[in-house]
Amino acid sequence: MATYQEFIQQNEDRDGVRFSWNLWPSSRLEATRLVVPVSCLFTPLKERPDLPPVQYEPVMCSRANCKAVLNPLCQVDFRAKIWACNFCFQRNPFPPSYAGISEVNQPAELMPQFSTIEYIVQRGPSAPLIFLYVVDTCLEEEDLQALKESLQMSLSLLPPNALVGLITFGRMVQVHELSCELISKSYVFRGTKDLTSKQIQEMLGLTKPSVAGQPGRPPAPQDAAASCRFLQPVHKVDMNLTDLLGELQRDPWPVPQGKRPLRSTGVALSVAVGLLEGTFPNTGARVMLFIGGPPTQGPGMVVGDELKTPIRSWHDIQKDNARHLKKATKYYEALANRSAVNGHSIDIYACALDQTGLLEMKCLSNLTGGHIVMGDSFNTSLFKQTFQRVFNKDYNGDFRMAFGGIMEVKTSRELKVCGAIGPCVSLNSKGSCVSENEMGVGGTSQWKVCSLSPSTTLGIYFEVVNQHNAPIPQGGRGAVQFVTQYQHSNTQRRIRVTTIARNWADAQSQIQHIESSFDQEAAAVLMARLGVFRAESEEGPDVLRWLDRQLIRLCQKFGQFNKDDPTSFKLSESLSLYPQFMFHLRRSPFLQVFNNSPDESSYYRHHFVRQDLTQSLIMIQPILYSYSFHGPPEPVLLDSSSILPDRILLMDTFFQLVIYHGETIAQWRKAGYQEMAEAWRFAGPLPALKGQPFPDPQQPLRLGTGDWSTNPD
Amino acid sequence: MNVNQHTPMASPYGQPQPGYGQPAFAPLDTGYPPPYAPYNGPVSAYQTGEPPQGYSSFTTFPSKAAPANPISELSSPLDLGHGRAPPTSGPPPVSAPQAYNQYGGRHQSDMQNGPPPMTQAPPRPVVSQSYNQERVNLSGPPSSYPQHYGSPPAMSHVTSQMSGMQINSGLPNTAGPGYAPPHSSKPPVSNSFSAAPPATYTQALPPALSAPTQAPPTASQQYYGGPPPASQPPFNSSLPPTSQQPFTSPAPLPPSNQPSFAPPPSYSGPPPAQAPSPSMSQPQQSFPPTQSAFSSAPQGSFPPRAPPPTSSQYPPPPTSTPSGQYPGPLPPQQQPPFSSGPFPSRPQMPPTSMSQSNHLPPESQGPLGPPGPLQQMPPPQHAMPGGYPPQQNGAFGQVRGPQPGFTAPYPAQPNYGALGPAPGPAPSTQKRLDPDAIPSPQASDMPTVQKSRHRIDPDAIPSPIQVIEDDKAKSTEPFSTGVRGQAPPLVTTDFHVKDQGNASPRFIRCTAYNIPCTADMAKQSQVPLAAVIKPLATLPADETPPYLVDHGEGGPIRCNRCKAYMCPYMQFIEGGRRFQCGFCSCVTEVPPHYFQHLDHTGKRVDFYDRPELSLGSYEFLATVDYCKNNKIPQPPAFIFLIDVSYNAVKSGMVGIVCQELKALLDRLPRENPDLDSTVRVGFVTYNKVLHFYNVKSSLAQPQMLVVSDVSEMFVPLLDGFLVNVGESRQVIESLLDHIPEMFANTRETETVFGPVIQAGLEALKAADCAGKLFVFHTSLPIAEAPGKLKNREDKKLIGTDKEKSLFQPQVSFYNTLAKECVAQGCCVDLFLFPNQYVDVATLAVVPVSTGGSVYKYTYFQAQSDQERFLNDLRRDVQKPIGFDAVMRVRTSTGIRATDFFGSFFMSNTTDVELAGLDCDKAVTVEFKHDDKLSEETGALVQCAVLYTSCGGQRRLRVHNMAVNCCSQLSDLYRNCETDTIINFLSKYAFRGILNNPTKAVRDTLVNQCAQILACYRKNCASPSSAGQLILPECMKLLPVYLNCVLKSDVLLPAADVSLDDRAYLRQLISGMDVSETHVFFYPRLLPLMKLESGSLPVAVRASEERLSKGGVYLLETGLHLFLWVGANAQQELLLNIFGTSSFGQIDTTMTSLPVLDNPFSQRLRDMIDSFRAQRSRYMKLMLVKQEDRSELIFRHFLMEDKNVSGGASYVDFLCHMHKEIRQLLS
């Protein structure tokens, strides 16, 4: 048998799953004593170029409260054409289409290598993708120009049948009608007034004039036409929209000295959400919000328009001195929830030197799976390339994005699900496998993830409910099934099913096995997610204390030491890196707010709770590479000892790339050596870096600020 | 009944004469023809030839008249006049005097022309005229006439006269008619008349001043010589009772009277027609015969008139005659000019006038004399009329004298008593018209024939046309405003104004130019003290607009205490170092830069260099202190808000507006005609939501911004909404091209209204400027939004106490909104295109409060209404306008401006705030006494209007007005202006219906007028029988005009008049000036049978009886224009006008006359164009064929007739009025 290392890697590659423990303690008590809960990082849409989707629908358990999907773990009676659900043990007949089933003619979902399988659902209408741009016009001319260009460029990246819409806002909110041929037309909303979804739809003329009698009827075709006024297929309005964007002016209302421009972000979002709600509920849609400053008026206002009143800081928040914080947060949360219900996600592209209110608005993206991008200006490559990367395509030429995902977790009887941490919202589906003990977003076995990318990763926490005195299910293995329904970017509806199983182990007798099955990387990230999740609602020191205690307990449990002899402390290999991760985590911006603005903290946390394991680890513990003349780049310690005169250091923190030139190198640069042909070896790494600010092209939203700083020379 | 329209003066007598004379004469000239013409077919005959005859007949008439008067007088119930007439006839001699008075008036007038020599004449003429006119002997006199003439004249005349009330003026008329036949006889007639009248007058006077009067009379008689006597006799006969007595006293007279009878023949003899007339006269003598004769129409001369007479005959004469007469009496001297042409004999008149003079103390004459201008009157064709006005104005003061004289005439009344007996005879043929019995209904109920008998002769009652024509005739000289207390010519008169220290009547017109010194007097008289101020009135091209004065950085010089602006009433003292305020008497230092030395008269040396010292109207340049927020204002903006709901698009309105705006944008108001207008424009369309347009010049295409959130309106854009036309022309044109296209297929039928105005208001606020909104709206705003309305039209409420609620706004939202608009200087003009009820009462709240206008095009159809709408729009956009205006009326100590009527908003009791003030808006201000006034200083009024010009300049326009104060009521009555009073009363009443039942308002109106007239009768008129209706000269039209007000759709709606129409009219009237209210209430009806270039045909009275089947008439109300085509209209006429000679082929749907190449058509179209140019609103021409269905609408505007909704006819109302007055007096 392969090492756990290999097993883990294999599992991740095949199923996108990393469990903290790969052997599960067989009782609740033992599980509790292990400190790190049984949990996993799950990447629902892990890219599997080798996995073609099957063109039929999954076979599900007929028990109403189970509905587990047929999988390789199920026992099958080929003669009776019956299969037994491995979760509820219900015996189900195969549907007629499986009539030809036999040992030698098994459907894919029964083959072990298809523990993850993807089905294409043919039912239902396919809905187009929707992109709704919500653009702040209170920008500097330069910024606006850059943004306009980026937006115009993005039109060419969209699939021709995708629907686009445009909302601009400043003091007022304008919804642009894209279908008008005579003169450009837009609907204007006051930036200070909170409107209900119904009001918005009425004002946009989206409600049916007469609801005469046929309530059950699906929306008539003319409704689609009506909604199309604002959301048009790209191929139809390409020119129009390009012109419209080209003519976009800065918000014309004068901004008196000492004031911030009035920015009605709250209402603009409300209108966007209302518009989509009324026209395309339960259809994949992206609201892309571009802001150049904080909301300064109306609902969702984060700061007043007086420049002399600075935007809230952590200090203010701790002192409970942030006037608008609670109200605004509540407002955006409500919006986010509405949006999530309809499966629409919201991206925030915030480019400003000061804070833009991400703290209040973060939930918009966090709950709907949207992106958050934070930069200094729209006129930077950071924004431009990141934005472009949103529209990256996969090996099939499809967007690396999926919409309206619903992830369901099914567990075998000994296990219950406590919750999930990630860009999701609860669907409040109470089932038999839902634990009363909540961790993260709990109390449900289904979560909605409005927007998914191949890297979107959820942390899912379980609880072993088997009683201590109950026998370990003999020969049985604990199983977990993830059923993820989503709208693929090519508008297909798909269902991906991942079924995994782990062996039970008696913690008393098999503690070492269990220890060696520990995945310290996954555990570190999973614990970090718990910590970050707590940090959202608890005081920083409390969270740190909690983390410390967990670490201590873990070391107590698995460390080998002699009392009162610190030097005797030893951890097994499978745990050896864990304390180091915790160390870095403690001082990471996810838990430390010092020197970070509330917006930055929100931004960091946003990314942390959605990236996959590798990226998350980089965030916790940045990677430092050293480039020298003596060999290939090598990772070095995050330590000042790594600074040497003839080295170039490259630090990747996920959020930033920092290049440090050693003293000698810096002098050479000053002398212009890098311009000389002979210096190719020296120049080697730099051009590469310059041309590739995103070391990992797989990370669509990985940001690198080209902070090519050097030491004080 | 006799309605004596007195100017209080005794002069009436004299005047009447002139009046008559004139009428008679006039006919001869040009004037007559028209009047007659209208009357009846006979007219033609009468017109030319008759007039003269008329005169001749007059001679005879006098006699008749005399009897008539007596009758009327005698029989308290003038009605019985006829019956009385007989008696009068009996008494003729006695009556004669009266007749003279009345008739005499007329005759005299003719006569007077002669008399003018009398110094008195000039001044008095006026007075006298007034008197004459005032007096209307309703039935009495006429009856007498009939009797006398009876045989000769047409029966109808007689009957009519008999039955009808004779107005003094009427008497003359009667005479006129009678005479008419003998046109040729004119000269003689005149003579005779003059002679006769004088006699009568003298006689009349005699009673009181028997000796003197007699003397004059005699003189007059002498003048008249042979003829006069005859005339006198007739008068006598007519006046018999009283007159006779007087005459008798003047032994000579009596004889004369008798002779007169005889003379009549002689008179008649003289004129060609005379021959018949004489006979007539004879019959007259024999009273019984006369009557019978009348019936038989034996009197050749009369008959002709008779036919028309009932209505027409009399009227015409009266109209013309009365005036003429009046002037005549006094004028005699003056008249010379008038008469000079016509009546050589008039010289004799002087004596008559003399006699009158008796009535009118010399004083009057004296003053009258001065009015030289009046004398100028002669120039007019009807010298008489011309003379009158001036006289009235100036001379009246003296008039009082005459009043005493009147008493003399009154004596005639006694005759009535005598008449009493007469009635016996008369009754037989005619029914008595008791004032009480008179109620129109009864009369109306009677068969037409009977009616004619019983009804009061409409010609015998004061005729608006006559008054208007008389005023025109006498207003030949420029009117200079320098004389305090001088009433200007009537609004119907075309005159030139010279500003000599008081504001031109084009800016300010007062109800009274002599106001009572004490509150008690004012209260007693009940004459409203008010001024109609039209601050930005457009002046004719030949008058200089107010000069702009710049007092430098310190701003205009003002009184320290009351803040009155520098004006001619500031008295410089201490060598010019200080000035004393004429309003509050406070002494203020003259700032050094304004110092100037005084000359020996105490006037500043630069008096004539500074408009503010020498003129009544001028403008100051305001400094920044006078600006809102102490900021120099931005140029104003115009915002066009167009309804694009289904109805608006379908009716074609949207297309028309957009098309027109393209052209109109080049014609926005500007101060310097050479430069582009600085007014910025913006566009909004709306139905249930609002669409704003960005028309910034840098855009290739306009952008539409839709605001659906109508619950809290806001302006979605700043830059690009209000733009300069020059810069954004292309974008704007593209927009206006696109709008109709974009909404061509709209199915939206609901609209909002409140948010529309809010949008405009917010836009102006955002741009920080004042401006005007043009709202084009079609329907009741029922869409969910602030200011949403529901249909509350409930016909059942009409006539109940709840009716008033229908005139009140439905919701208070618009009041609040209006207040905000005013604060911002946002004026709202509303163009309505309703197909059904839109609740004008509520929608108009904002326009009315912001100084805007409401235009209403019910059932708008592009084809037929486009022209009217476009012309209104053009005018509305282009007209001079000021913004963000505040008007303050300051008065000298003793009076105070207490109430204001018009389109504006007031947040306190003194400042009239007008978001917009255009050249058509007038504000009526009522004054009340605070204290006692002094006759020396008079009363001063200064109206200052602070406004922003269309170029964005802040200015102050100042109008000053000084009026006299009087301690005698008669002065008040002599110097007031009925048109202005009506303007005030109508506005007062129309506001009253907001809070009171309509009926109560009507009653109040009638009551107040009755009190006004009763007060006059009681305090100013010479005693006379209660049966005689005596009207002040200046107010003799008050009853007829008041009746028009009472019959207006607002106060007395016909069944088919919608609530919207009433609300619309109600608000419309509130902003009207005097000339507009005048023509609105008493429409102008012009016969078109003959058109001469250069002058308009003389109007006829607004009554169906004046319409000839063979004619074509034009009727103008200021809002409507009708062309009425008689069923038998001459083919040539039709050919000239319509290009077809067939009545049946005339297309009544045409809205403009075909352009035909003939002088007549050309002239008619020019005329129509000029009418339209005169009015602030374009009048759509409606073609009405006689007996066509549409004639009903047309008839509605014949204000002297009864109307279908129960409005009384003029005659009936007059009777009613008389009754009311009598009740007050008893």
Side-chain angles (χ1 to χ4, degrees), chain A residues 8-26:
Chain A
I8 290 168
Q9 190 61 48
Q10 187 190 346
N11 262 285
E12 184 178 11
D13 291 346
R14 191 180 60 207
D15 299 327
V17 174
R18 300 238 341 214
F19 269 93
S20 53
W21 303 99
N22 288 295
L23 276 182
W24 292 344
S26 58

Side-chain angles (χ1 to χ4, degrees), chain A residues 316-528:
Chain A
D316 295 329
I317 295 171
Q318 279 155 10
K319 289 259 174 94
D320 199 19
N321 205 13
R323 272 184 63 207
H324 308 288
L325 176 66
K326 284 194 182 127
K327 220 175 138 193
T329 306
K330 197 177 158 202
Y331 175 78
Y332 290 114
E333 265 173 11
L335 273 184
N337 281 317
R338 274 168 55 195
S339 189
V341 164
N342 288 293
H344 306 135
S345 74
I346 300 175
D347 294 348
I348 301 175
Y349 303 86
C351 286
L353 293 171
D354 195 2
Q355 300 189 72
T356 55
L358 286 183
L359 172 65
E360 287 82 355
M361 291 191 277
K362 66 185 177 204
C363 51
L364 291 172
S365 296
N366 288 348
L367 300 187
T368 64
H371 305 303
I372 292 183
V373 172
M374 196 170 95
D376 290 342
S377 159
F378 288 109
N379 196 21
T380 56
S381 58
L382 166 82
F383 165 74
K384 290 178 184 170
Q385 298 188 24
T386 307
F387 181 58
Q388 213 162 347
R389 196 157 289 188
V390 171
F391 300 101
N392 266 355
K393 294 186 175 162
D394 64 12
Y395 50 91
N396 281 331
D398 293 326
F399 283 136
R400 291 175 191 275
M401 61 176 87
F403 296 95
I406 294 176
M407 188 194 70
E408 183 171 10
V409 176
K410 297 180 192 306
T411 59
S412 48
R413 288 181 176 173
E414 302 79 17
L415 216 54
K416 290 199 176 186
V417 61
C418 296
I421 296 180
C424 60
V425 291
S426 159
L427 281 178
N428 282 322
S429 158
K430 313 273 188 197
S432 55
C433 61
V434 176
S435 162
E436 288 178 1
N437 181 20
E438 288 189 26
M439 301 176 83
V441 181
T444 178
S445 63
Q446 285 189 344
W447 291 265
K448 185 143 194 172
V449 192
C450 298
S451 174
L452 289 158
S453 76
S455 67
T456 302
T457 303
L458 299 166
I460 298 167
Y461 300 84
F462 300 93
E463 182 183 35
V464 177
V465 292
N466 202 32
Q467 290 305 309
H468 183 59
N469 49 5
I472 301 171
Q474 270 308 322
R477 295 196 290 171
V480 176
Q481 186 172 58
F482 302 97
V483 181
T484 311
Q485 310 178 41
Y486 68 98
Q487 180 189 346
H488 193 263
S489 60
N490 65 7
T491 75
Q492 285 170 339
R493 289 220 57 97
R494 294 190 180 185
I495 298 176
R496 183 183 279 216
V497 179
T498 298
T499 314
I500 53 101
R502 294 292 185 271
N503 289 328
W504 296 108
D506 179 8
Q508 284 171 333
S509 59
Q510 297 177 287
I511 188 69
Q512 288 184 337
H513 283 105
I514 291 179
E515 183 182 350
S516 59
S517 78
F518 185 65
D519 182 345
Q520 54 184 342
E521 291 179 332
V525 174
L526 283 162
M527 288 307 282

Side-chain angles (χ1 to χ4, degrees), chain B residues 363-637:
Chain B
E363 308 168 356
S364 65
Q365 296 175 350
L368 297 176
L374 302 178
Q375 295 177 347
Q376 298 169 350
M377 310 306 284
Q381 296 174 346
H382 315 283
M384 315 284 291
Y388 294 99
Q391 294 173 350
Q392 294 177 351
N393 297 339
F396 289 99
Q398 301 171 346
V399 176
R400 300 172 189 169
Q403 295 177 348
F406 284 98
T407 58
Y410 292 97
Q413 297 171 349
N415 297 341
Y416 286 98
L419 297 178
S428 62
T429 53
Q430 305 169 341
K431 286 190 179 181
R432 296 180 182 180
L433 294 182
D434 290 350
D436 303 347
I438 292 179
S440 58
Q442 297 181 350
S444 64
D445 295 341
M446 335 227 341
T448 54
V449 179
Q450 291 182 346
K451 281 187 198 171
S452 66
R453 288 185 180 177
H454 304 287
R455 281 177 59 190
I456 293 163
D457 175 11
D459 284 349
I461 54 184
S463 156
I465 305 302
Q466 186 63 47
V467 172
I468 290 168
E469 290 301 319
D470 290 349
D471 190 68
K472 281 181 183 167
K474 75 180 181 183
S475 302
T476 53
E477 290 257 314
F479 174 75
S480 54
T481 65
V483 182
R484 192 175 77 184
Q486 183 184 14
L490 297 179
V491 287
T492 44
T493 301
D494 188 18
F495 59 102
H496 184 80
V497 180
K498 280 184 179 168
D499 187 341
Q500 293 186 344
N502 284 318
S504 156
R506 302 190 206 285
F507 294 122
I508 303 184
R509 273 184 182 271
C510 300
T511 53
Y513 289 84
N514 276 13
I515 64 176
C517 278
T518 66
D520 284 349
M521 278 174 71
K523 192 176 174 189
Q524 191 186 2
S525 74
Q526 286 286 317
V527 175
L529 301 178
V532 179
I533 306 177
K534 197 175 176 186
L536 298 189
T538 314
L539 299 182
D542 57 350
E543 290 178 24
T544 325
Y547 291 97
L548 186 58
V549 180
D550 186 357
H551 276 182
E553 291 176 2
I557 313 287
R558 307 173 69 170
C559 166
N560 270 349
R561 186 196 292 162
C562 69
K563 300 295 178 195
Y565 295 89
M566 178 54 63
C567 67
Y569 313 135
M570 299 299 187
Q571 186 70 43
F572 286 88
I573 54 176
E574 295 181 27
R577 285 194 302 275
R578 294 161 177 242
F579 66 87
Q580 182 169 32
C581 175
F583 297 90
C584 69
S585 303
C586 172
V587 174
T588 304
E589 291 276 348
V590 174
H593 70 270
Y594 196 66
F595 176 80
Q596 187 58 263
H597 292 287
L598 307 184
D599 66 11
H600 63 283
T601 61
K603 269 198 303 197
R604 277 170 63 120
V605 174
D606 61 355
F607 179 82
Y608 290 105
D609 299 334
R610 290 190 176 272
E612 74 270 26
L613 298 183
S614 53
L615 298 181
S617 301
Y618 43 86
E619 288 196 327
F620 285 118
L621 202 56
T623 60
V624 78
D625 295 337
Y626 292 81
C627 301
K628 196 156 44 175
N629 304 328
N630 286 340
K631 272 196 310 194
I632 296 292
Q634 302 269 335

Side-chain angles (χ1 to χ4, degrees), chain A residues 172 184 186 188 190 193 203, chain B residues 704-706 708 711 714-715:
Chain A
M172 310 281 170
S184 68
S186 58
V188 187
R190 202 187 183 88
K193 191 174 174 189
M203 289 176 186
Chain B
M704 178 204 265
L705 300 165
V706 184
S708 328
S711 59
F714 61 94
V715 183

Side-chain angles (χ1 to χ4, degrees), chain B residues 46 50 54 57 61 157 174-181 302-309 313:
Chain B
Y46 292 102
E50 294 176 357
S57 64
F61 282 97
H157 288 295
T174 59
Y179 297 102
F302 289 91
R305 295 180 176 180
Q313 292 178 346

